[in-house]
C-alpha cells in the first residue's frame, strides 16, 4: 500500500482540506488575534482554576484559545493536515464530537490537576495561571491515526504511525526537564492523549455495527508502551478496563457482539482489520482524486499554453 499524500508530502499536501477543518482553523486564529488585541480577554476565555466556578464556560472555551504564536501555528497546521485524514473516515459529525469531548474533558483534567497541586504544594500559582490551547486535541488526533493506520510508516523517519502518540508524550516530557514553557504543555498533552484513547476505546459509536468502542488487542492501552513493559502494564490497565467498560461489554454482548458470556471468536481482530481497511481505502481514494485533479490541472495548463502559442 502506498503512503498517503498527507504523510508523504506529495501533491495532495495542501489540497483536500475540509471546510470543517478550515472553519475550526479560523476559530483558533481569531481567538489568538482577539487575545493579542485585548489581553484582558484571557481572564474570560482561558481556564483559570480559581475562577472556574463562576466562569464555568472556560472549560469549553479554553481549548480553542492559543496564547502564543507558536502554539496557534502548530495547532492550526495539525488541525488542517491531520484533520483531513480523520474527518472523511469518521464523518463531520463524529469528528466535531471527538474534538468537543476531548477538549472539554481535557480541561476538566487540567482543573482537577491544578486544584490537587495547590492542596499538595499550597502554592497559589496553580490556581491563577491561565491554561489554554488546542494541543490536547492535536495529541488526540495522533491517537486516532494510531487506531486507523497503525502500520503506516512516516517517510524518511521509518517510524510507524502507531508510535506517534507515545513519541509526542516522551518528547514533551524530555523537553519539560529543560524548559518551564514546555512543562506547561505537558498536562494538556498527556490528558488529551489519554482522554482520546478512552473515547475511541470505549465511547465512540460505529454506525455500521451500532457498537461502541474499539475492543481490539491492537488498540489496548499497553500498545502505547514498548513490548517489554506490557506484562507490567496489562494487569494495571485491566483494572481500569473493568471499571470503564463493564457495562459497555454487557451492552455489546446484548447486541450480538458475543455469544453467551464469550465474545465471538476473532471478533476483535476482524473489527480492527475492517477499520484499517476502511481507513486505507478512504486514504487511497483521496490520494487518487488528488492525483487526478493535479493531472487535469497540468493538462489544462499545457493546453492553454499551446493555444497561446
Amino acid at each position: 500500500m502506498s503512503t498517503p499524500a498527507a504523510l508523504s508530502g506529495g501533491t495532495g499536501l495542501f489540497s483536500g482540506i475540509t471546510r470543517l477543518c478550515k472553519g475550526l482553523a479560523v476559530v483558533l486564529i481569531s481567538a489568538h488575534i482577539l487575545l493579542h488585541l485585548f489581553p484582558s480577554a484571557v481572564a474570560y476565555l482561558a481556564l483559570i482554576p480559581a475562577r472556574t466556578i463562576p466562569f464555568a464556560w472556560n472549560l469549553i472555551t479554553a481549548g480553542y484559545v492559543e496564547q502564543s504564536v507558536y502554539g496557534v501555528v502548530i495547532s492550526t497546521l495539525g488541525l488542517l493536515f491531520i484533520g483531513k485524514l480523520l474527518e472523511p473516515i469518521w464523518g463531520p459529525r463524529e469528528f466535531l464530537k471527538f474534538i468537543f469531548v476531548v477538549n472539554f474533558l481535557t480541561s476538566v483534567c487540567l482543573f482537577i490537576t491544578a486544584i490537587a497541586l495547590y492542596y499538595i504544594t499550597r502554592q497559589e500559582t496553580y490556581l491563577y495561571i491561565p491554561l489554554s490551547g488546542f494541543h490536547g486535541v492535536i495529541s488526540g488526533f495522533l491517537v486516532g491515526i494510531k487506531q486507523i493506520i497503525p502500520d503506516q510508516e512516516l517517510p524518511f523517519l521509518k517510524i510507524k504511525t502507531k508510535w506517534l502518540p507515545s513519541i509526542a508524550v516522551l518528547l514533551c516530557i524530555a523537553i519539560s526537564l529543560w524548559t518551564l514553557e514546555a512543562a506547561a504543555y505537558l498536562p494538556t498533552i498527556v490528558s488529551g492523549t489519554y482522554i482520546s484513547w478512552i473515547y475511541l476505546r470505549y465511547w465512540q459509536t460505529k454506525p455500521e455495527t451500532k457498537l461502541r468502542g474499539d475492543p481490539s488487542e491492537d488498540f489496548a492501552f499497553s500498545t502505547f508502551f514498548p513490548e517489554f513493559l506490557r506484562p507490567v502494564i496489562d494487569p494495571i490497565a485491566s483494572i481500569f478496563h473493568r471499571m470503564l467498560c463493564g457495562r459497555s461489554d454487557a451492552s455489546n454482548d446484548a447486541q450480538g457482539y458475543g455469544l453467551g458470556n464469550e465474545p465471538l471468536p476473532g471478533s476483535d481482530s476482524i473489527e480492527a482489520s475492517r477499520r484499517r481497511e476502511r481507513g486505507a481505502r478512504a486514504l487511497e481514494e483521496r490520494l487518487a482524486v488528488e492525483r487526478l485533479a493535479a493531472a487535469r490541472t497540468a493538462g489544462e495548463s499545457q493546453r492553454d499554453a499551446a493555444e497561446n502559442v
Side-chain angles (χ1 to χ4, degrees), residues 102-171:
V102 173
N103 242 337
F104 175 73
L105 293 183
T106 297
S107 295
V108 172
C109 289
L110 292 179
F111 172 76
I112 295 174
T113 301
I115 297 298
L117 288 174
Y118 166 71
Y119 279 108
I120 293 172
T121 64
R122 291 298 175 177
Q123 296 184 13
E124 294 187 355
T125 305
Y126 294 112
L127 296 180
Y128 292 98
I129 183 172
L131 305 171
S132 65
F134 198 70
H135 36 283
V137 174
I138 299 300
S139 302
F141 284 166
L142 297 181
V143 179
I145 293 293
K146 169 185 172 68
Q147 181 194 39
I148 295 172
I149 46 173
D151 296 322
Q152 190 70 254
E153 285 191 352
L154 296 176
F156 306 114
L157 297 178
K158 299 301 180 182
I159 297 175
K160 291 186 177 181
T161 53
K162 65 181 180 180
W163 296 115
L164 288 180
S166 304
I167 292 174
V169 172
L170 288 176
L171 283 177

Side-chain angles (χ1 to χ4, degrees), residues 219-249:
F219 197 56
F221 183 69
S222 60
T223 61
F224 287 81
F225 299 85
E227 290 188 7
F228 69 91
L229 291 177
R230 292 178 188 177
V232 179
I233 301 297
D234 280 330
I236 300 174
S238 65
I239 299 174
F240 294 95
H241 176 80
R242 288 192 293 269
M243 292 172 57
L244 287 169
C245 73
R247 186 177 300 176
S248 175
D249 285 345

Side-chain angles (χ1 to χ4, degrees), residues 51 78 88 139-140 149 166 168 172 193 212 238 244 253 301 303:
R51 301 178 180 177
S139 302
I149 46 173
S166 304
C172 189
T193 300
R212 289 183 179 273
S238 65
L244 287 169
D253 288 345
S301 300
R303 187 165 51 253

Side-chain angles (χ1 to χ4, degrees), residues 1 27 31 81 92 96 116 118 126 129 135 138 153 174 199 201 206 209 214 220 261 266 271 277 284 292 296 304:
M1 181 177 64
V27 172
F81 296 130
L96 193 60
Y118 166 71
Y126 294 112
I129 183 172
H135 36 283
I138 299 300
E153 285 191 352
Y199 178 83
R201 180 72 167 173
K206 302 180 181 66
T209 61
D214 178 1
N261 293 327
E271 178 61 28
E277 290 174 2
E284 290 298 329
L292 180 60
R296 188 175 301 169
D304 292 340

Side-chain angles (χ1 to χ4, degrees), residues 28-287:
L28 295 179
I29 295 173
S30 300
H32 178 72
I33 294 175
L34 179 65
L35 288 189
H36 182 73
L37 296 177
F38 305 99
S40 60
V42 71
Y44 300 95
L45 298 178
L47 174 64
I48 301 177
R51 301 178 180 177
T52 300
I53 300 303
F55 298 162
W57 63 81
N58 294 162
L59 294 172
I60 298 176
T61 59
Y64 306 96
V65 177
E66 289 287 355
Q67 301 182 46
S68 68
V69 175
Y70 299 107
V72 73
V73 169
I74 294 174
S75 294
T76 301
L77 292 178
L79 169 64
L80 294 177
F81 296 130
I82 304 179
K84 78 172 185 176
L85 293 177
L86 297 177
E87 185 186 342
I89 298 173
W90 289 347
R93 183 176 180 180
E94 177 59 35
F95 182 73
L96 193 60
K97 180 182 176 182
F98 174 85
I99 291 176
F100 178 83
V101 171
V102 173
N103 242 337
F104 175 73
L105 293 183
T106 297
S107 295
V108 172
C109 289
L110 292 179
F111 172 76
I112 295 174
T113 301
I115 297 298
L117 288 174
Y118 166 71
Y119 279 108
I120 293 172
T121 64
R122 291 298 175 177
Q123 296 184 13
E124 294 187 355
T125 305
Y126 294 112
L127 296 180
Y128 292 98
I129 183 172
L131 305 171
S132 65
F134 198 70
H135 36 283
V137 174
I138 299 300
S139 302
F141 284 166
L142 297 181
V143 179
I145 293 293
K146 169 185 172 68
Q147 181 194 39
I148 295 172
I149 46 173
D151 296 322
Q152 190 70 254
E153 285 191 352
L154 296 176
F156 306 114
L157 297 178
K158 299 301 180 182
I159 297 175
K160 291 186 177 181
T161 53
K162 65 181 180 180
W163 296 115
L164 288 180
S166 304
I167 292 174
V169 172
L170 288 176
L171 283 177
C172 189
I173 292 174
I175 298 174
S176 298
L177 298 176
W178 300 96
T179 62
L180 293 177
E181 293 182 359
Y185 289 92
L186 182 59
T188 307
I189 291 176
V190 173
S191 299
T193 300
Y194 188 60
I195 292 297
S196 60
W197 175 78
I198 289 178
Y199 178 83
L200 296 174
R201 180 72 167 173
Y202 302 115
W203 299 340
Q204 187 182 52
T205 302
K206 302 180 181 66
E208 65 275 9
T209 61
K210 303 300 182 182
L211 300 177
R212 289 183 179 273
D214 178 1
S216 63
E217 294 182 0
D218 293 336
F219 197 56
F221 183 69
S222 60
T223 61
F224 287 81
F225 299 85
E227 290 188 7
F228 69 91
L229 291 177
R230 292 178 188 177
V232 179
I233 301 297
D234 280 330
I236 300 174
S238 65
I239 299 174
F240 294 95
H241 176 80
R242 288 192 293 269
M243 292 172 57
L244 287 169
C245 73
R247 186 177 300 176
S248 175
D249 285 345
S251 176
N252 287 345
D253 288 345
Q255 297 180 48
Y257 195 80
L259 182 61
N261 293 327
E262 297 295 331
L264 291 174
S267 58
D268 290 1
S269 59
I270 292 174
E271 178 61 28
S273 299
R274 289 176 178 173
R275 186 184 309 103
R276 293 194 190 95
E277 290 174 2
R278 289 194 301 270
R281 192 182 309 117
L283 292 173
E284 290 298 329
E285 290 175 356
R286 176 174 291 274
L287 178 59

